[in-house]
């Protein structure tokens, strides 16, 4: 796609700010990805104007971080993060600058950024502002810090995980000074909340260069600062295929570590209960798959449909099958299931209760319905009322207490 088609609306935002007397540029990852030929995602903008002025220029503005100079501009149904040019002082908490000073120069603003590939700007005519030779680094597929890498990492140690993540996503190498700084400052990562580290870790495993990036974590000692992974051998944590979601990543690492459970994993990484449920379901399904050495109807029935892609990637990560083959088999068996949920069974709990009116209600009802469900799904019992009733008659219900 051409530059104008990718940035058309963003350039209009720049033009609106310029018409109001300010400066504005597209900055960061959008410029990097455009120059490298990668798909451009979110488009961020840096401007000479303070948030109050941006709110005057545009009708729809969300004040997400005014104290740090950041607002979200809604323009033609798209969102643009607009941040005032700034420079920062020391970082006592290793995350937020102790003081933010707004400046008037785009070059000063770019100087505070993490890596040269992210320290470029583009004006609305497509001209690139590149004071730190970021374009050369993009062409060389090289990750290097802006200025002194030790200083950059001490300002915000999460930048070390970002370096590893870019290494995986972009398939770039780290220059020697930057990698040496990772080794020197790795222990600083313990000052960063695990929630921030988690997102970088997930993206690292989802990148095409995840194997090399996990090796980078090992040789720089960053791995020793990561929950669960720190106690595992490098060969154990490297999957045979990419893992995209936290659910499949947690399941994979728990399958590789006898001491790890999804509950423990989620607690240490401070993830959600939804992720714990996904990891539990994927782990259970994969253990069934291993035991049977095949994908069978009961596995497909029990595994939520939305987790089919995750299960396929998990199987590929374990090296047991090809991702697309597993996904195809799951969908094919799903279409052949006699029922997709228990509600589709021709015989329901009320029918069972009616057959044994004198029996006290209790867990036996759920147990019998689960047994019936299994028989139907596995093809041992037709999903027909009379057939199921005949099957139920042969079963002796529990004696009342």
């Amino acid at each position: 796609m051409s530059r104008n088609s990718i940035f058309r609306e963003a350039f209009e935002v720049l033009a609106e700010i310029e018409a109001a007397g300010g400066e504005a540029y597209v900055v960061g990852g959008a410029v990097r990805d455009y120059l490298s030929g990668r798909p451009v995602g979110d488009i961020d903008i840096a401007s000479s104007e303070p948030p109050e002025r941006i709110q005057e220029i545009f009708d729809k503005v969300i004040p997400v971080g005014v104290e740090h100079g950041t607002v979200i501009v809604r323009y033609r149904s798209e969102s643009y993060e607009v941040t005032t040019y700034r420079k920062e002082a020391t970082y006592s908490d290793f995350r937020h600058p102790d003081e933010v000073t707004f400046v008037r120069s785009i070059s000063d603003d770019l100087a505070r950024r993490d890596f040269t590939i992210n320290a470029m700007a583009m004006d609305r005519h497509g001209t690139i502002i590149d004071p730190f030779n970021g374009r050369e680094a993009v062409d060389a597929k090289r990750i290097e810090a802006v200025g002194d890498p030790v200083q950059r990492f001490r300002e915000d140690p999460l930048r070390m995980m970002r370096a590893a993540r870019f290494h995986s996503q972009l398939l770039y190498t780290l220059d020697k000074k930057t990698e040496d700084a990772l080794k020197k400052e790795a222990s600083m990562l313990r000052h960063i909340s695990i929630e921030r580290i988690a997102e970088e870790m997930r993206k690292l495993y989802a990148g095409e260069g995840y194997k090399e990036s996990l090796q980078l974590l090992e040789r720089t000692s960053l791995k020793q600062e990561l929950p669960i992974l720190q106690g595992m051998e490098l060969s154990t944590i490297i999957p045979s295929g990419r893992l995209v979601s936290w659910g499949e990543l947690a399941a994979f690492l728990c399958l590789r570590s006898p001491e790890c459970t999804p509950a423990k994993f989620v607690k240490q990484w401070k993830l959600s209960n939804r992720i714990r449920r996904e990891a539990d379901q994927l782990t259970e399904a994969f253990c069934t798959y291993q035991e049977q050495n095949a994908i069978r109807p009961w596995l497909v029935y029990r595994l939520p449909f939305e987790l089919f892609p995750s299960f396929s990637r998990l199987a590929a990560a374990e090296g047991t099958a090809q991702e697309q083959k597993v996904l195809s088999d799951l969908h094919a068996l799903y279409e052949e299931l006699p029922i997709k949920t228990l509600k589709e069974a021709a015989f329901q709990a009320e029918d069972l209760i009616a057959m044994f009116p004198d029996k006290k209600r209790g867990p036996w009802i759920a147990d019998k319905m689960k047994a019936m469900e299994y028989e139907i799904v596995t093809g041992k019992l037709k999903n027909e009322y009379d057939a199921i009733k005949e099957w139920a008659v042969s079963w002796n219900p529990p004696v009342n207490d």
Side-chain angles (χ1 to χ4, degrees):
M1 296 178 66
S2 69
R3 180 187 62 225
N4 287 338
S5 62
I6 296 172
F7 296 105
R8 180 181 295 111
E9 288 79 12
F11 285 168
E12 291 178 10
V13 173
L14 304 188
E16 292 278 354
I17 296 173
E18 289 179 7
E23 290 182 1
Y25 298 87
V26 173
V27 293
V31 181
R32 176 199 71 222
D33 291 342
Y34 168 70
L35 292 176
S36 64
R38 293 172 57 84
V40 174
D42 294 337
I43 298 176
D44 295 335
I45 294 171
S47 172
S48 61
E49 301 305 290
E52 297 76 16
R53 184 68 178 123
I54 298 298
Q55 290 174 305
E56 294 173 357
I57 297 171
F58 296 96
D59 294 332
K60 297 179 180 179
V61 179
I62 305 170
V64 293
V66 172
E67 66 277 13
H68 296 113
T70 301
V71 296
I72 300 292
V73 171
R74 290 287 295 168
Y75 184 84
R76 296 191 187 277
S77 301
E78 296 291 337
S79 294
Y80 300 94
E81 186 175 284
V82 180
T83 301
T84 307
Y85 300 159
R86 68 191 194 193
K87 63 180 180 179
E88 298 155 351
T90 57
Y91 290 65
S92 297
D93 65 355
F94 304 103
R95 178 179 180 183
H96 298 108
D98 296 334
E99 181 183 357
V100 173
T101 303
F102 297 132
V103 296
R104 300 295 294 180
S105 165
I106 183 63
S107 294
D108 287 343
D109 180 84
L110 295 176
R112 70 177 175 84
R113 296 175 184 267
D114 52 8
F115 306 110
T116 62
I117 57 174
N118 297 329
M120 294 179 285
M122 179 191 295
D123 69 17
R124 66 185 179 91
H125 304 292
T127 302
I128 304 296
I129 290 82
D130 183 17
F132 303 101
N133 299 316
R135 189 164 194 166
E136 177 185 327
V138 168
D139 291 341
K141 297 186 176 181
R142 184 178 64 245
I143 299 168
E144 57 187 4
V146 173
D148 180 7
V150 170
Q151 180 181 344
R152 293 285 85 82
F153 295 153
R154 287 181 179 176
E155 289 169 351
D156 183 358
L158 185 70
R159 287 170 171 169
M160 294 187 286
M161 286 300 297
R162 282 170 56 83
R165 187 250 293 183
F166 287 134
H167 184 268
S168 176
Q169 286 184 325
L170 303 176
L171 302 177
Y172 285 13
T173 59
L174 273 70
D175 79 310
K176 186 177 186 304
K177 282 182 62 178
T178 302
E179 183 165 336
D180 287 346
L182 288 181
K183 296 175 184 177
K184 182 178 180 180
E185 302 299 320
S187 63
M188 297 290 289
L189 197 62
R190 65 190 62 170
H191 295 291
I192 302 300
S193 70
I194 197 62
E195 293 93 336
R196 295 181 72 208
I197 295 172
E199 185 59 15
E200 300 299 328
M201 196 66 195
R202 185 194 64 78
K203 291 178 179 178
L204 184 155
Y205 264 99
E208 291 183 37
Y210 68 91
K211 292 182 181 179
E212 293 77 9
S213 295
L214 289 170
Q215 292 168 357
L216 173 68
L217 294 184
E218 173 81 2
R219 66 176 180 264
T220 58
S221 297
L222 284 170
K223 174 174 162 287
Q224 294 307 112
E225 306 300 328
L226 303 175
I228 307 295
L229 283 81
Q230 61 192 202
M232 300 175 68
E233 294 292 332
L234 177 62
S235 59
T236 306
I237 69 170
I238 297 180
S240 296
R242 294 187 310 130
L243 294 164
V244 174
S245 74
W246 261 120
E248 60 207 63
L249 178 53
F252 170 79
L253 291 172
C254 287
L255 287 167
R256 292 296 183 94
S257 174
E259 296 79 24
C260 182
T261 65
K264 178 181 178 181
F265 190 97
V266 164
K267 181 179 181 180
Q268 292 202 20
W269 279 92
K270 295 186 178 181
L271 303 171
S272 68
N273 285 329
R274 177 186 61 80
I275 291 173
R276 179 187 56 76
R277 288 192 298 270
E278 288 183 5
D280 277 329
Q281 291 166 325
L282 289 167
T283 302
E284 178 186 345
F286 190 79
C287 288
T288 300
Y289 173 55
Q290 282 184 311
E291 290 169 4
Q292 299 177 343
N293 198 30
I295 297 175
R296 301 196 186 281
W298 186 244
L299 183 158
V300 176
Y301 180 80
R302 292 271 295 163
L303 184 67
F305 184 84
E306 63 272 16
L307 292 184
F308 283 10
S310 289
F311 181 85
S312 303
R313 285 190 290 268
L314 179 60
E318 283 286 358
T320 57
Q322 292 184 344
E323 178 184 339
Q324 290 305 314
K325 176 65 166 59
V326 173
L327 187 59
S328 176
D329 289 347
L330 288 170
H331 282 288
L333 277 174
Y334 181 80
E335 293 302 320
E336 295 173 2
L337 291 176
I339 59 173
K340 304 295 193 297
T341 69
L342 184 57
K343 291 181 180 179
E344 295 180 3
F347 193 92
Q348 294 293 312
E350 57 266 26
D351 300 310
L352 182 63
I353 294 168
M355 286 184 64
F356 304 102
D358 297 330
K359 300 303 176 184
K360 184 180 178 180
R361 297 189 182 189
W364 66 271
I365 298 172
D367 292 343
K368 189 59 180 176
M369 293 302 294
K370 178 61 68 176
M372 179 202 73
E373 187 179 25
Y374 179 81
E375 296 290 310
I376 293 172
V377 170
T378 57
K380 298 175 183 177
L381 181 62
K382 289 186 177 181
N383 187 31
E384 298 173 357
Y385 179 85
D386 289 338
I388 299 172
K389 184 176 182 180
E390 182 179 347
W391 172 82
V393 167
S394 66
W395 172 72
N396 294 317
V399 177
N400 286 335
D401 294 336

